[in-house]
Amino acid sequence: MPDMSLVPPAFGYALAGLFGAVIGSFLNVVIHRVPLEESVVFPNSRCPSCGAVIAFYDNIPVISWVVLRAKCRGCKQRISFRYPAVELLTALLFVAVAMHDGVSVALPFDLVFISALVALMFIDAAHQILPDVITLPGLAFALLARITIPLVTGTPHFDDLPSLVNGPLSDLPLWLASVVGAVIGGLIGGGFLWLMGWAWEKLRGVEAMGLGDVKMMFMVGAYLGWRLTILTIFVGVLSGSLIGIVLMARQRERDMQMLLPFGVFLGLGSIAALLFGAPIVAWYAGQF
Ligand SMILES: [Zn+2]
């Protein structure tokens, strides 16, 4: 590996931000096409209104949207603010992950995980669905990360892993203990969301949510481990409830909860748990 200490950190973070903006541009394609069950690779990007192929110089993250004043060059239809917002958010998140991880084996895995979360959050916000084509490969990806990172680094990288290998799983090889941790995390994440849906159905007699949330939390739980998964759910429920109360107060309607895309709040919780969760759960565990 090249000696990264020779590269000024600011240069590395700028590079992470640029790379994030480019990935954000790809996530816009995912967010637009996956709910329509279209290929994310072919054909080239087109204007959703007039179908004109978008030239490369009109497809530069954030900048093109500003230069074109949020209008298609051909038909002058408005281009949604969602496009630069996703690009900017992904750029910022990539910088935050790079600052969190440094140059490490975990960095590319965390960047893929964050990208999947951004796609899920914006698709859920627009369509109230969390597509299987993201959550199921996401779960497989989480398992791959849980095997690869401990194998390559020889360290219990994941938040839940040190207490597992120093305790009940001390006889297992590190990578296998990591997989067991992933299964525990996945079952807690997915299981909790499934229980919430079941309880809601019993209480209200309506179907609260699809199984998309359950599958999303299988993926998140497997990747983050059980401690950060509980934090994720806590942040998700808290932020979702706060926004729900504000919306209900404004709309003066009682059935707003059906319209709340819970995946958005679980995504927020997952990102917060990945970036800031480890010291929080360590502090909390130290209270006992
Ligand atoms: Zn157009």
Side-chain angles (χ1 to χ4, degrees):
M1 205 174 258
D3 183 4
M4 296 308 288
S5 64
L6 296 175
V7 180
F11 179 76
Y13 299 146
L15 211 61
L18 281 176
F19 182 53
V22 172
I23 297 298
S25 183
F26 170 70
L27 293 179
N28 274 320
V29 177
V30 172
I31 292 162
H32 179 70
R33 292 189 187 172
V34 163
L36 304 172
E37 300 187 1
E38 291 176 3
S39 161
V40 296
V41 188
F42 299 105
N44 287 329
S45 294
R46 287 168 181 277
C47 167
S49 302
C50 67
V53 173
I54 298 168
F56 75 91
Y57 49 81
D58 284 340
N59 211 2
I60 301 163
V62 185
I63 294 169
S64 289
W65 188 83
V66 175
V67 169
L68 292 169
R69 301 208 181 116
K71 289 188 195 86
C72 168
R73 190 182 287 277
C75 67
K76 304 294 175 197
Q77 269 293 324
R78 275 192 60 80
I79 306 166
S80 165
F81 177 65
R82 188 177 79 194
Y83 287 87
V86 167
E87 288 154 358
L88 213 55
L89 176 70
T90 311
L92 290 174
L93 287 174
F94 271 39
V95 173
V97 172
M99 293 175 97
H100 180 269
D101 288 359
V103 178
S104 65
V105 176
L107 179 61
F109 288 97
D110 283 348
L111 292 180
V112 172
F113 180 66
I114 285 275
S115 301
L117 291 175
V118 170
L120 285 172
M121 289 166 72
F122 279 88
I123 290 173
D124 198 28
H127 302 278
Q128 281 79 49
I129 52 165
L130 294 159
D132 283 355
V133 289
I134 299 175
T135 54
L136 297 184
L139 177 57
F141 164 81
L143 291 173
L144 179 75
R146 295 286 305 210
I147 294 169
T148 307
I149 296 174
L151 263 186
V152 173
T153 65
T155 61
H157 164 79
F158 295 97
D159 171 77
D160 59 319
L161 201 45
S163 58
L164 288 178
V165 289
N166 292 324
L169 303 182
S170 57
D171 291 337
L172 293 183
L174 190 56
W175 71 269
L176 190 54
S178 180
V179 171
V180 175
V183 171
I184 296 170
L187 287 176
I188 285 183
F192 188 87
L193 265 289
W194 185 84
L195 267 178
M196 266 179 72
W198 179 82
W200 190 260
E201 234 178 288
K202 290 283 162 228
L203 282 171
R204 302 294 302 263
V206 286
E207 199 176 340
M209 52 188 104
L211 290 173
D213 307 70
V214 174
K215 288 174 221 165
M216 176 181 177
M217 285 310 292
F218 261 114
M219 164 191 142
V220 169
Y223 193 76
L224 294 180
W226 68 273
R227 306 200 312 176
L228 293 180
T229 298
I230 290 172
L231 181 66
T232 296
I233 293 169
F234 182 77
V235 173
V237 169
L238 194 68
S239 56
S241 306
L242 286 175
I243 299 293
I245 288 166
V246 170
L247 286 181
M248 268 192 263
R250 287 177 94 193
Q251 301 273 328
R252 309 213 176 280
E253 278 176 30
R254 282 282 167 87
D255 285 326
M256 280 301 293
Q257 70 272 8
M258 294 301 292
L259 301 173
L260 263 193
F262 195 36
V264 174
F265 301 101
L266 291 172
L268 273 179
S270 307
I271 293 169
L274 178 78
L275 292 175
F276 313 112
I280 295 172
V281 291
W283 169 82
Y284 185 77
Q287 299 297 302
F288 301 100

Short mmCIF file of all heavy atoms in Angstrom, two decimals, residues 150-215:
data_model
loop_
_atom_site.label_atom_id
_atom_site.label_comp_id
_atom_site.label_asym_id
_atom_site.label_seq_id
_atom_site.Cartn_x
_atom_site.Cartn_y
_atom_site.Cartn_z
N PRO A 150 -12.49 -8.71 8.82
CA PRO A 150 -11.68 -9.38 9.86
C PRO A 150 -10.60 -10.29 9.26
O PRO A 150 -9.49 -10.38 9.80
CB PRO A 150 -12.70 -10.20 10.65
CG PRO A 150 -14.03 -9.71 10.25
CD PRO A 150 -13.90 -9.09 8.91
N LEU A 151 -10.92 -10.95 8.13
CA LEU A 151 -9.92 -11.84 7.51
C LEU A 151 -8.71 -11.06 7.04
O LEU A 151 -7.58 -11.46 7.27
CB LEU A 151 -10.55 -12.57 6.30
CG LEU A 151 -11.09 -13.98 6.52
CD1 LEU A 151 -11.54 -14.57 5.19
CD2 LEU A 151 -10.05 -14.87 7.16
N VAL A 152 -8.93 -9.92 6.36
CA VAL A 152 -7.83 -9.16 5.78
C VAL A 152 -7.06 -8.39 6.84
O VAL A 152 -5.83 -8.33 6.81
CB VAL A 152 -8.36 -8.20 4.67
CG1 VAL A 152 -7.26 -7.27 4.18
CG2 VAL A 152 -8.94 -9.00 3.52
N THR A 153 -7.78 -7.78 7.80
CA THR A 153 -7.10 -6.92 8.78
C THR A 153 -6.66 -7.68 10.03
O THR A 153 -5.79 -7.22 10.76
CB THR A 153 -8.02 -5.76 9.23
OG1 THR A 153 -9.14 -6.31 9.95
CG2 THR A 153 -8.53 -4.96 8.04
N GLY A 154 -7.29 -8.82 10.30
CA GLY A 154 -6.98 -9.55 11.52
C GLY A 154 -7.48 -8.86 12.79
O GLY A 154 -7.10 -9.24 13.89
N THR A 155 -8.33 -7.83 12.62
CA THR A 155 -8.86 -7.10 13.78
C THR A 155 -10.38 -7.28 13.88
O THR A 155 -11.05 -7.44 12.87
CB THR A 155 -8.58 -5.59 13.66
OG1 THR A 155 -9.24 -5.10 12.48
CG2 THR A 155 -7.09 -5.30 13.57
N PRO A 156 -10.92 -7.23 15.12
CA PRO A 156 -12.38 -7.30 15.29
C PRO A 156 -12.99 -5.93 14.97
O PRO A 156 -13.50 -5.25 15.85
CB PRO A 156 -12.56 -7.68 16.75
CG PRO A 156 -11.34 -7.14 17.42
CD PRO A 156 -10.23 -7.16 16.42
N HIS A 157 -12.95 -5.55 13.69
CA HIS A 157 -13.29 -4.19 13.26
C HIS A 157 -14.68 -3.75 13.71
O HIS A 157 -14.88 -2.60 14.08
CB HIS A 157 -13.17 -4.14 11.74
CG HIS A 157 -13.85 -2.96 11.12
ND1 HIS A 157 -13.28 -1.71 11.10
CD2 HIS A 157 -15.07 -2.83 10.52
CE1 HIS A 157 -14.12 -0.86 10.51
NE2 HIS A 157 -15.20 -1.51 10.15
N PHE A 158 -15.65 -4.66 13.65
CA PHE A 158 -17.05 -4.26 13.86
C PHE A 158 -17.35 -4.01 15.34
O PHE A 158 -16.76 -4.64 16.22
CB PHE A 158 -17.98 -5.32 13.27
CG PHE A 158 -17.85 -5.45 11.78
CD1 PHE A 158 -17.05 -6.43 11.22
CD2 PHE A 158 -18.49 -4.56 10.93
CE1 PHE A 158 -16.90 -6.53 9.85
CE2 PHE A 158 -18.34 -4.64 9.56
CZ PHE A 158 -17.55 -5.64 9.01
N ASP A 159 -18.28 -3.09 15.59
CA ASP A 159 -18.55 -2.62 16.95
C ASP A 159 -18.92 -3.76 17.91
O ASP A 159 -18.54 -3.74 19.07
CB ASP A 159 -19.69 -1.59 16.89
CG ASP A 159 -20.18 -1.22 18.27
OD1 ASP A 159 -19.48 -0.45 18.94
OD2 ASP A 159 -21.23 -1.75 18.69
N ASP A 160 -19.65 -4.75 17.42
CA ASP A 160 -20.14 -5.83 18.30
C ASP A 160 -19.10 -6.93 18.49
O ASP A 160 -19.24 -7.78 19.38
CB ASP A 160 -21.40 -6.45 17.69
CG ASP A 160 -21.13 -7.03 16.29
OD1 ASP A 160 -20.40 -6.38 15.51
OD2 ASP A 160 -21.62 -8.12 15.99
N LEU A 161 -18.04 -6.92 17.64
CA LEU A 161 -17.18 -8.10 17.56
C LEU A 161 -16.22 -8.28 18.76
O LEU A 161 -16.06 -9.41 19.24
CB LEU A 161 -16.43 -8.09 16.23
CG LEU A 161 -15.87 -9.42 15.71
CD1 LEU A 161 -16.88 -10.55 15.83
CD2 LEU A 161 -15.41 -9.27 14.27
N PRO A 162 -15.58 -7.20 19.28
CA PRO A 162 -14.66 -7.43 20.41
C PRO A 162 -15.32 -8.15 21.59
O PRO A 162 -14.73 -9.11 22.14
CB PRO A 162 -14.23 -6.01 20.79
CG PRO A 162 -14.38 -5.22 19.54
CD PRO A 162 -15.58 -5.80 18.84
N SER A 163 -16.55 -7.73 21.96
CA SER A 163 -17.19 -8.37 23.12
C SER A 163 -17.59 -9.81 22.82
O SER A 163 -17.65 -10.65 23.73
CB SER A 163 -18.41 -7.55 23.57
OG SER A 163 -19.33 -7.44 22.51
N LEU A 164 -17.83 -10.13 21.53
CA LEU A 164 -18.18 -11.51 21.17
C LEU A 164 -16.95 -12.42 21.23
O LEU A 164 -17.01 -13.53 21.76
CB LEU A 164 -18.80 -11.58 19.76
CG LEU A 164 -20.22 -11.02 19.60
CD1 LEU A 164 -20.66 -11.13 18.14
CD2 LEU A 164 -21.21 -11.76 20.49
N VAL A 165 -15.81 -11.95 20.66
CA VAL A 165 -14.63 -12.82 20.62
C VAL A 165 -13.92 -12.88 21.98
O VAL A 165 -13.18 -13.82 22.24
CB VAL A 165 -13.62 -12.40 19.51
CG1 VAL A 165 -14.17 -12.71 18.15
CG2 VAL A 165 -13.24 -10.95 19.63
N ASN A 166 -14.16 -11.88 22.84
CA ASN A 166 -13.61 -11.95 24.19
C ASN A 166 -14.54 -12.67 25.14
O ASN A 166 -14.22 -12.86 26.30
CB ASN A 166 -13.32 -10.54 24.72
CG ASN A 166 -12.18 -9.89 23.96
OD1 ASN A 166 -11.23 -10.56 23.57
ND2 ASN A 166 -12.29 -8.59 23.72
N GLY A 167 -15.72 -13.04 24.63
CA GLY A 167 -16.70 -13.68 25.50
C GLY A 167 -17.17 -15.01 24.94
O GLY A 167 -16.37 -15.94 24.78
N PRO A 168 -18.46 -15.10 24.58
CA PRO A 168 -19.05 -16.41 24.24
C PRO A 168 -18.47 -17.07 23.00
O PRO A 168 -18.55 -18.29 22.87
CB PRO A 168 -20.54 -16.08 24.04
CG PRO A 168 -20.59 -14.62 23.79
CD PRO A 168 -19.45 -14.02 24.54
N LEU A 169 -17.88 -16.29 22.06
CA LEU A 169 -17.42 -16.88 20.80
C LEU A 169 -15.90 -16.98 20.73
O LEU A 169 -15.32 -17.03 19.65
CB LEU A 169 -17.95 -16.05 19.61
CG LEU A 169 -19.47 -15.89 19.52
CD1 LEU A 169 -19.83 -15.09 18.28
CD2 LEU A 169 -20.19 -17.24 19.51
N SER A 170 -15.23 -17.06 21.89
CA SER A 170 -13.76 -17.01 21.90
C SER A 170 -13.12 -18.21 21.21
O SER A 170 -11.97 -18.16 20.81
CB SER A 170 -13.25 -16.91 23.34
OG SER A 170 -13.75 -17.99 24.10
N ASP A 171 -13.88 -19.32 21.03
CA ASP A 171 -13.30 -20.51 20.39
C ASP A 171 -13.37 -20.44 18.86
O ASP A 171 -12.69 -21.22 18.19
CB ASP A 171 -14.05 -21.77 20.85
CG ASP A 171 -13.77 -22.07 22.32
OD1 ASP A 171 -12.72 -21.60 22.81
OD2 ASP A 171 -14.60 -22.73 22.96
N LEU A 172 -14.18 -19.52 18.33
CA LEU A 172 -14.37 -19.46 16.87
C LEU A 172 -13.27 -18.63 16.22
O LEU A 172 -12.74 -17.71 16.83
CB LEU A 172 -15.73 -18.83 16.55
CG LEU A 172 -16.98 -19.60 16.95
CD1 LEU A 172 -18.22 -18.85 16.48
CD2 LEU A 172 -16.97 -21.01 16.36
N PRO A 173 -12.93 -18.95 14.93
CA PRO A 173 -12.07 -18.03 14.18
C PRO A 173 -12.76 -16.67 14.07
O PRO A 173 -14.00 -16.60 14.07
CB PRO A 173 -11.94 -18.68 12.80
CG PRO A 173 -12.65 -19.98 12.86
CD PRO A 173 -13.38 -20.09 14.15
N LEU A 174 -11.95 -15.61 13.96
CA LEU A 174 -12.48 -14.24 13.98
C LEU A 174 -13.57 -14.02 12.93
O LEU A 174 -14.63 -13.44 13.21
CB LEU A 174 -11.31 -13.26 13.77
CG LEU A 174 -11.61 -11.77 13.98
CD1 LEU A 174 -12.16 -11.50 15.36
CD2 LEU A 174 -10.35 -10.95 13.73
N TRP A 175 -13.31 -14.50 11.70
CA TRP A 175 -14.27 -14.25 10.61
C TRP A 175 -15.61 -14.93 10.89
O TRP A 175 -16.68 -14.40 10.58
CB TRP A 175 -13.69 -14.68 9.27
CG TRP A 175 -13.57 -16.18 9.10
CD1 TRP A 175 -12.49 -16.94 9.42
CD2 TRP A 175 -14.57 -17.07 8.60
NE1 TRP A 175 -12.74 -18.25 9.15
CE2 TRP A 175 -14.01 -18.37 8.65
CE3 TRP A 175 -15.87 -16.90 8.12
CZ2 TRP A 175 -14.72 -19.50 8.24
CZ3 TRP A 175 -16.58 -18.02 7.70
CH2 TRP A 175 -16.01 -19.31 7.77
N LEU A 176 -15.55 -16.13 11.52
CA LEU A 176 -16.79 -16.87 11.79
C LEU A 176 -17.57 -16.20 12.92
O LEU A 176 -18.81 -16.08 12.85
CB LEU A 176 -16.45 -18.33 12.12
CG LEU A 176 -17.63 -19.29 12.19
CD1 LEU A 176 -18.46 -19.27 10.92
CD2 LEU A 176 -17.13 -20.73 12.45
N ALA A 177 -16.84 -15.74 13.95
CA ALA A 177 -17.49 -14.97 15.02
C ALA A 177 -18.16 -13.73 14.44
O ALA A 177 -19.25 -13.33 14.85
CB ALA A 177 -16.47 -14.58 16.08
N SER A 178 -17.49 -13.13 13.44
CA SER A 178 -18.04 -11.94 12.77
C SER A 178 -19.35 -12.27 12.05
O SER A 178 -20.31 -11.49 12.10
CB SER A 178 -17.01 -11.40 11.78
OG SER A 178 -17.49 -10.26 11.12
N VAL A 179 -19.41 -13.46 11.41
CA VAL A 179 -20.64 -13.87 10.72
C VAL A 179 -21.75 -14.13 11.74
O VAL A 179 -22.90 -13.73 11.54
CB VAL A 179 -20.38 -15.14 9.86
CG1 VAL A 179 -21.69 -15.70 9.33
CG2 VAL A 179 -19.43 -14.82 8.72
N VAL A 180 -21.39 -14.77 12.87
CA VAL A 180 -22.40 -15.00 13.92
C VAL A 180 -22.94 -13.66 14.41
O VAL A 180 -24.15 -13.48 14.59
CB VAL A 180 -21.80 -15.83 15.08
CG1 VAL A 180 -22.81 -15.94 16.23
CG2 VAL A 180 -21.39 -17.21 14.61
N GLY A 181 -22.01 -12.68 14.60
CA GLY A 181 -22.43 -11.34 14.99
C GLY A 181 -23.37 -10.72 13.98
O GLY A 181 -24.35 -10.05 14.34
N ALA A 182 -23.09 -10.96 12.69
CA ALA A 182 -23.96 -10.44 11.63
C ALA A 182 -25.36 -11.05 11.71
O ALA A 182 -26.37 -10.35 11.55
CB ALA A 182 -23.34 -10.72 10.26
N VAL A 183 -25.41 -12.35 11.99
CA VAL A 183 -26.71 -13.04 12.08
C VAL A 183 -27.50 -12.48 13.28
O VAL A 183 -28.70 -12.18 13.17
CB VAL A 183 -26.52 -14.56 12.20
CG1 VAL A 183 -27.84 -15.25 12.51
CG2 VAL A 183 -25.91 -15.12 10.92
N ILE A 184 -26.81 -12.31 14.42
CA ILE A 184 -27.48 -11.75 15.61
C ILE A 184 -28.00 -10.34 15.30
O ILE A 184 -29.17 -10.02 15.56
CB ILE A 184 -26.50 -11.70 16.81
CG1 ILE A 184 -26.07 -13.11 17.21
CG2 ILE A 184 -27.14 -10.98 18.00
CD1 ILE A 184 -24.91 -13.16 18.22
N GLY A 185 -27.14 -9.51 14.70
CA GLY A 185 -27.53 -8.14 14.37
C GLY A 185 -28.71 -8.11 13.40
O GLY A 185 -29.66 -7.35 13.57
N GLY A 186 -28.64 -8.97 12.36
CA GLY A 186 -29.71 -9.03 11.38
C GLY A 186 -31.03 -9.46 11.99
O GLY A 186 -32.09 -8.88 11.71
N LEU A 187 -30.97 -10.47 12.86
CA LEU A 187 -32.20 -10.97 13.49
C LEU A 187 -32.80 -9.92 14.42
O LEU A 187 -34.03 -9.76 14.49
CB LEU A 187 -31.92 -12.27 14.26
CG LEU A 187 -31.69 -13.51 13.39
CD1 LEU A 187 -31.33 -14.72 14.25
CD2 LEU A 187 -32.93 -13.82 12.54
N ILE A 188 -31.94 -9.17 15.12
CA ILE A 188 -32.45 -8.13 16.02
C ILE A 188 -33.06 -6.98 15.21
O ILE A 188 -34.17 -6.53 15.49
CB ILE A 188 -31.32 -7.64 16.97
CG1 ILE A 188 -31.08 -8.70 18.04
CG2 ILE A 188 -31.68 -6.29 17.60
CD1 ILE A 188 -30.06 -8.35 19.08
N GLY A 189 -32.34 -6.55 14.15
CA GLY A 189 -32.86 -5.46 13.31
C GLY A 189 -34.14 -5.86 12.59
O GLY A 189 -35.17 -5.21 12.74
N GLY A 190 -34.07 -6.93 11.81
CA GLY A 190 -35.24 -7.39 11.06
C GLY A 190 -36.36 -7.83 11.98
O GLY A 190 -37.53 -7.54 11.74
N GLY A 191 -35.99 -8.54 13.05
CA GLY A 191 -36.99 -9.06 13.99
C GLY A 191 -37.76 -7.95 14.68
O GLY A 191 -38.99 -8.03 14.82
N PHE A 192 -37.06 -6.91 15.09
CA PHE A 192 -37.73 -5.80 15.77
C PHE A 192 -38.73 -5.11 14.85
O PHE A 192 -39.86 -4.82 15.25
CB PHE A 192 -36.69 -4.79 16.28
CG PHE A 192 -37.28 -3.73 17.16
CD1 PHE A 192 -37.41 -3.95 18.52
CD2 PHE A 192 -37.73 -2.53 16.63
CE1 PHE A 192 -37.99 -2.98 19.34
CE2 PHE A 192 -38.31 -1.56 17.43
CZ PHE A 192 -38.42 -1.79 18.79
N LEU A 193 -38.30 -4.88 13.59
CA LEU A 193 -39.21 -4.22 12.64
C LEU A 193 -40.41 -5.11 12.33
O LEU A 193 -41.53 -4.63 12.19
CB LEU A 193 -38.45 -3.87 11.35
CG LEU A 193 -37.89 -2.46 11.26
CD1 LEU A 193 -39.02 -1.46 11.08
CD2 LEU A 193 -37.10 -2.06 12.51
N TRP A 194 -40.18 -6.42 12.26
CA TRP A 194 -41.27 -7.35 11.99
C TRP A 194 -42.26 -7.31 13.15
O TRP A 194 -43.48 -7.26 12.95
CB TRP A 194 -40.72 -8.76 11.78
CG TRP A 194 -41.78 -9.75 11.39
CD1 TRP A 194 -42.26 -9.98 10.12
CD2 TRP A 194 -42.51 -10.60 12.28
NE1 TRP A 194 -43.25 -10.93 10.19
CE2 TRP A 194 -43.42 -11.33 11.49
CE3 TRP A 194 -42.48 -10.82 13.66
CZ2 TRP A 194 -44.30 -12.26 12.04
CZ3 TRP A 194 -43.35 -11.75 14.21
CH2 TRP A 194 -44.24 -12.45 13.40
N LEU A 195 -41.74 -7.33 14.38
CA LEU A 195 -42.60 -7.26 15.57
C LEU A 195 -43.40 -5.96 15.61
O LEU A 195 -44.58 -5.96 15.96
CB LEU A 195 -41.74 -7.35 16.84
CG LEU A 195 -41.54 -8.73 17.44
CD1 LEU A 195 -40.64 -8.64 18.67
CD2 LEU A 195 -42.89 -9.36 17.83
N MET A 196 -42.73 -4.84 15.27
CA MET A 196 -43.42 -3.55 15.24
C MET A 196 -44.60 -3.58 14.28
O MET A 196 -45.70 -3.12 14.60
CB MET A 196 -42.46 -2.44 14.80
CG MET A 196 -41.78 -1.71 15.93
SD MET A 196 -40.66 -0.44 15.28
CE MET A 196 -41.84 0.77 14.65
N GLY A 197 -44.36 -4.14 13.09
CA GLY A 197 -45.42 -4.25 12.09
C GLY A 197 -46.55 -5.13 12.57
O GLY A 197 -47.74 -4.80 12.40
N TRP A 198 -46.19 -6.24 13.21
CA TRP A 198 -47.20 -7.20 13.71
C TRP A 198 -48.04 -6.55 14.80
O TRP A 198 -49.27 -6.64 14.79
CB TRP A 198 -46.47 -8.44 14.24
CG TRP A 198 -47.37 -9.49 14.81
CD1 TRP A 198 -48.05 -10.44 14.12
CD2 TRP A 198 -47.68 -9.68 16.20
NE1 TRP A 198 -48.78 -11.23 14.99
CE2 TRP A 198 -48.57 -10.78 16.26
CE3 TRP A 198 -47.31 -9.03 17.38
CZ2 TRP A 198 -49.09 -11.24 17.47
CZ3 TRP A 198 -47.83 -9.49 18.58
CH2 TRP A 198 -48.70 -10.58 18.62
N ALA A 199 -47.37 -5.85 15.75
CA ALA A 199 -48.09 -5.21 16.85
C ALA A 199 -49.00 -4.11 16.32
O ALA A 199 -50.15 -3.96 16.78
CB ALA A 199 -47.09 -4.63 17.86
N TRP A 200 -48.51 -3.37 15.34
CA TRP A 200 -49.30 -2.28 14.76
C TRP A 200 -50.56 -2.83 14.09
O TRP A 200 -51.65 -2.28 14.24
CB TRP A 200 -48.45 -1.51 13.74
CG TRP A 200 -49.09 -0.25 13.28
CD1 TRP A 200 -49.77 -0.06 12.11
CD2 TRP A 200 -49.13 0.99 14.00
NE1 TRP A 200 -50.23 1.23 12.05
CE2 TRP A 200 -49.85 1.90 13.20
CE3 TRP A 200 -48.64 1.41 15.24
CZ2 TRP A 200 -50.09 3.21 13.61
CZ3 TRP A 200 -48.86 2.72 15.63
CH2 TRP A 200 -49.58 3.61 14.82
N GLU A 201 -50.38 -3.94 13.37
CA GLU A 201 -51.52 -4.57 12.72
C GLU A 201 -52.57 -5.01 13.73
O GLU A 201 -53.77 -4.82 13.53
CB GLU A 201 -51.01 -5.80 11.94
CG GLU A 201 -51.39 -5.80 10.48
CD GLU A 201 -50.83 -7.00 9.75
OE1 GLU A 201 -49.61 -7.02 9.54
OE2 GLU A 201 -51.61 -7.91 9.42
N LYS A 202 -52.10 -5.62 14.87
CA LYS A 202 -53.02 -6.08 15.90
C LYS A 202 -53.75 -4.91 16.54
O LYS A 202 -54.94 -4.98 16.82
CB LYS A 202 -52.25 -6.86 16.99
CG LYS A 202 -51.72 -8.19 16.54
CD LYS A 202 -52.82 -9.24 16.48
CE LYS A 202 -52.37 -10.40 15.62
NZ LYS A 202 -53.33 -10.85 14.63
N LEU A 203 -53.01 -3.81 16.79
CA LEU A 203 -53.59 -2.66 17.49
C LEU A 203 -54.58 -1.90 16.62
O LEU A 203 -55.64 -1.50 17.08
CB LEU A 203 -52.47 -1.71 17.94
CG LEU A 203 -51.68 -2.11 19.18
CD1 LEU A 203 -50.47 -1.19 19.37
CD2 LEU A 203 -52.56 -2.07 20.42
N ARG A 204 -54.18 -1.68 15.38
CA ARG A 204 -54.97 -0.79 14.52
C ARG A 204 -55.79 -1.53 13.48
O ARG A 204 -56.63 -0.93 12.82
CB ARG A 204 -54.03 0.19 13.80
CG ARG A 204 -53.20 1.05 14.73
CD ARG A 204 -54.07 2.00 15.54
NE ARG A 204 -54.85 2.86 14.67
CZ ARG A 204 -54.50 4.09 14.33
NH1 ARG A 204 -53.40 4.61 14.78
NH2 ARG A 204 -55.27 4.82 13.54
N GLY A 205 -55.51 -2.83 13.31
CA GLY A 205 -56.24 -3.58 12.30
C GLY A 205 -55.90 -3.18 10.88
O GLY A 205 -56.64 -3.45 9.95
N VAL A 206 -54.76 -2.47 10.69
CA VAL A 206 -54.32 -2.12 9.34
C VAL A 206 -52.88 -2.58 9.17
O VAL A 206 -52.14 -2.69 10.13
CB VAL A 206 -54.37 -0.60 9.08
CG1 VAL A 206 -55.80 -0.13 8.90
CG2 VAL A 206 -53.68 0.16 10.21
N GLU A 207 -52.52 -2.83 7.93
CA GLU A 207 -51.14 -3.21 7.67
C GLU A 207 -50.26 -1.97 7.77
O GLU A 207 -50.50 -0.98 7.08
CB GLU A 207 -51.01 -3.87 6.29
CG GLU A 207 -49.73 -4.67 6.20
CD GLU A 207 -49.61 -5.41 4.88
OE1 GLU A 207 -50.64 -5.63 4.22
OE2 GLU A 207 -48.48 -5.78 4.53
N ALA A 208 -49.30 -1.99 8.66
CA ALA A 208 -48.52 -0.79 8.96
C ALA A 208 -47.45 -0.56 7.90
O ALA A 208 -47.26 0.55 7.44
CB ALA A 208 -47.86 -0.92 10.32
N MET A 209 -46.73 -1.59 7.54
CA MET A 209 -45.62 -1.39 6.61
C MET A 209 -45.36 -2.68 5.85
O MET A 209 -45.69 -3.77 6.31
CB MET A 209 -44.38 -0.94 7.35
CG MET A 209 -44.00 -1.82 8.52
SD MET A 209 -42.65 -1.08 9.47
CE MET A 209 -43.53 -0.46 10.90
N GLY A 210 -44.76 -2.52 4.69
CA GLY A 210 -44.39 -3.71 3.94
C GLY A 210 -43.19 -4.36 4.59
O GLY A 210 -42.67 -3.85 5.57
N LEU A 211 -42.77 -5.48 4.06
CA LEU A 211 -41.60 -6.15 4.64
C LEU A 211 -40.29 -5.50 4.19
O LEU A 211 -39.23 -5.94 4.59
CB LEU A 211 -41.62 -7.63 4.26
CG LEU A 211 -42.72 -8.45 4.94
CD1 LEU A 211 -42.77 -9.87 4.38
CD2 LEU A 211 -42.54 -8.50 6.45
N GLY A 212 -40.39 -4.42 3.40
CA GLY A 212 -39.20 -3.71 2.95
C GLY A 212 -38.37 -3.22 4.13
O GLY A 212 -37.14 -3.35 4.13
N ASP A 213 -39.04 -2.67 5.15
CA ASP A 213 -38.33 -2.18 6.34
C ASP A 213 -37.63 -3.33 7.05
O ASP A 213 -36.52 -3.16 7.55
CB ASP A 213 -39.30 -1.53 7.33
CG ASP A 213 -40.16 -0.47 6.69
OD1 ASP A 213 -41.03 -0.85 5.88
OD2 ASP A 213 -39.96 0.71 6.98
N VAL A 214 -38.30 -4.48 7.10
CA VAL A 214 -37.72 -5.65 7.77
C VAL A 214 -36.45 -6.08 7.05
O VAL A 214 -35.41 -6.31 7.68
CB VAL A 214 -38.75 -6.81 7.81
CG1 VAL A 214 -38.12 -8.07 8.36
CG2 VAL A 214 -39.97 -6.40 8.64
N LYS A 215 -36.52 -6.16 5.71
CA LYS A 215 -35.34 -6.59 4.93
C LYS A 215 -34.22 -5.56 5.02
O LYS A 215 -33.04 -5.91 5.12
CB LYS A 215 -35.74 -6.82 3.47
CG LYS A 215 -36.58 -8.08 3.28
CD LYS A 215 -37.07 -8.20 1.85
CE LYS A 215 -38.50 -8.67 1.81
NZ LYS A 215 -39.12 -8.47 0.50
#
